[in-house]
Amino acid sequence: MAKVFEKPHALSDVSMHYCPGCTHGIIHRLVAEVIDELGIEGRTIGVAPVGCSVFAYNYFECDMQEAAHGRAPAVATGIKRAVKDSIVFTYQGDGDLAAIGTAETVHAAARGENITIIFVNNAIYGMTGGQMAPTSLVGQVTQTTPYGRDTSTQGYPIRVCEMLSQVEGAAYLERVAVNNIPNIRKAKKAIKKAFQNQIDGKGFSLIEVLSICPTNWGMSPQESMKWLEENMMPVYPLGVYKDKEQGEA
Amino acid sequence: MAKVTFNEQKCKGCGLCVSVCPKKIISFADNLNAKGFKPAQVVNMDECIGCASCAIICPDCVIEVER
Ligand SMILES: Cc1ncc(C[n+]2csc(CCOP(=O)(O)OP(=O)(O)O)c2C)c(N)n1
Ligand code: SF4
């Protein structure tokens, strides 16, 4: 018998702190598998965010740098420009990337920085205990929207891929999900493309990954997967939002 | 012939592997691991087809698959 599945080398062997069933762990593994397959562990530098994935620097075997909340794309810009042959990725939640860090995100895309962004959209602030995120759905109950997100006072969800598809500097934008096996395979393919784009010098690539937060959604991991499919996917359709190579998607 | 190996100390008992196994052969052990979770296990390994679905959905890299 041959091994057909084992931990990727680029993922460290420590036990991750994430809640049971949290899909941050799957997304970490996919990134590590891609780093292995592209053979770039030695020259990859990851930038960790503030949020539940703040300890991501403990989980990847490549070099890692922690950024202040939301500033990962700015930190990644500096690293990429200073260490030109490095492969630089950021790993950010929706609070980090689409609330406090919106400016850094948009401007890194506008400048066409040759970096890879892994954007984990779980429609909530996980680390701080389940407050509304810019990506929370209309009507979604959170700690700060106990009667559901009300558009008259809390506005509407931000669709990051759709928004950035209007930014000329962005090269590749795709939204994927990790709610079942076929989608996890597709998510890996997208992440691989986003890293390959950087190797090929194609510019700014962002992969938005729909993810679950069973703890703060108040559901089991299995129920959360279903909730993602039934409630998040209609608001955040999967697909390629921009591929400069193919023209506008 | 196929075999899955669970690193039971890393398992958080989330049950995602249980929900995706096409053969429905994954269950929870009766004992607790050091984290305080009942780890996932396969009792009837003969039925495993080595599809690796359990390993692909596991957020904690608990599972190794041989085929
Ligand atoms: C400057 C600053 N403002 C606010 C916070 C509090 N804070 C920590 S994490 C977080 C949001 C996390 O949500 P998200 O980025 O969606 O990641 P998740 O935890 O859901 O993975 C906030 C607001 C902080 N640490 N620093
Ligand atoms: S709070 Fe939510 S996002 Fe954070 S580790 Fe737990 S399940 Fe994951």
Side-chain angles (χ1 to χ4, degrees):
Chain A
M1 285 197 292
K3 274 199 181 140
V4 291
F5 190 100
E6 60 186 326
K7 180 190 81 62
H9 185 269
L11 193 71
S12 66
D13 204 14
V14 300
S15 204
M16 294 187 273
H17 72 284
Y18 298 113
C19 302
C22 175
T23 41
H24 265 306
I26 299 179
I27 303 164
H28 279 31
R29 193 193 71 234
L30 297 180
V31 171
E33 286 176 355
V34 165
I35 291 173
D36 277 13
E37 286 172 23
L38 296 173
I40 52 171
E41 188 183 309
R43 61 178 176 130
T44 297
I45 304 171
V47 184
V50 171
C52 282
S53 45
V54 65
F55 295 134
Y57 53 74
N58 286 329
Y59 304 146
F60 290 101
E61 290 288 358
C62 57
D63 284 340
M64 294 293 292
Q65 171 64 51
E66 176 58 43
H69 204 8
R71 311 308 184 225
V75 172
T77 298
I79 296 172
K80 184 74 187 181
R81 289 184 179 203
V83 190
K84 290 202 166 43
D85 62 351
S86 59
I87 301 299
V88 184
F89 75 93
T90 73
Y91 185 105
Q92 303 174 257
D94 42 18
D96 192 81
L97 182 139
I100 194 169
T102 316
E104 282 74 8
T105 308
V106 173
H107 286 282
R111 294 190 307 268
E113 293 298 339
N114 189 27
I115 58 173
T116 303
I117 293 188
I118 309 300
F119 165 42
V120 179
N121 178 357
N122 59 9
I124 208 155
Y125 287 0
M127 182 199 199
T128 44
Q131 295 81 4
M132 189 196 92
T135 47
S136 295
L137 306 182
V138 173
Q140 186 179 336
V141 173
T142 70
Q143 288 291 326
T144 43
T145 55
Y147 304 108
R149 182 174 186 170
D150 174 356
T151 55
S152 70
T153 45
Q154 283 116 19
Y156 294 87
I158 292 182
R159 296 183 173 98
V160 170
C161 281
E162 287 85 336
M163 177 176 77
L164 292 181
S165 68
Q166 304 302 310
V167 176
E168 218 173 305
Y172 192 78
L173 304 166
E174 181 169 354
R175 183 182 292 125
V176 295
V178 287
N179 62 312
N180 58 37
I181 307 293
N183 281 346
I184 294 172
R185 290 189 202 279
K186 284 185 210 153
K188 180 171 167 187
K189 225 175 128 204
I191 291 170
K192 194 165 183 178
K193 181 158 173 137
F195 275 86
Q196 187 65 52
N197 282 350
Q198 186 180 157
I199 294 170
D200 298 341
K202 293 197 174 130
F204 185 93
S205 297
L206 178 147
I207 307 299
E208 174 173 347
V209 188
L210 302 186
S211 185
I212 63 170
C213 177
T215 301
N216 289 301
W217 291 1
M219 299 170 207
S220 73
Q222 291 80 355
E223 288 164 346
S224 300
M225 292 297 201
K226 199 159 168 260
W227 193 88
L228 184 159
E229 188 176 333
E230 289 174 357
N231 298 280
M232 282 182 83
M233 280 193 193
V235 179
Y236 299 112
L238 305 187
V240 177
Y241 284 83
K242 185 164 185 189
D243 186 351
K244 253 192 180 166
E245 239 167 52
Q246 314 287 321
E248 303 294 305
Chain B
M1 220 177 58
K3 188 177 150 205
V4 286
T5 311
F6 291 79
N7 180 346
E8 81 165 50
Q9 291 308 330
K10 263 189 161 185
C11 181
K12 297 173 185 161
C14 73
L16 286 174
C17 55
V18 177
S19 67
V20 298
C21 174
K23 292 302 206 182
K24 300 280 169 235
I25 52 173
I26 308 178
S27 56
F28 293 112
D30 287 329
N31 61 298
L32 299 176
N33 65 14
K35 286 186 197 293
F37 298 113
K38 291 186 172 177
Q41 62 173 13
V42 169
V43 179
N44 193 356
M45 200 62 79
D46 288 346
E47 284 187 48
C48 176
I49 54 172
C51 68
S53 297
C54 54
I56 290 168
I57 207 147
C58 176
D60 291 281
C61 256
V62 168
I63 309 167
E64 269 187 12
V65 187
E66 291 164 275
R67 196 169 54 209

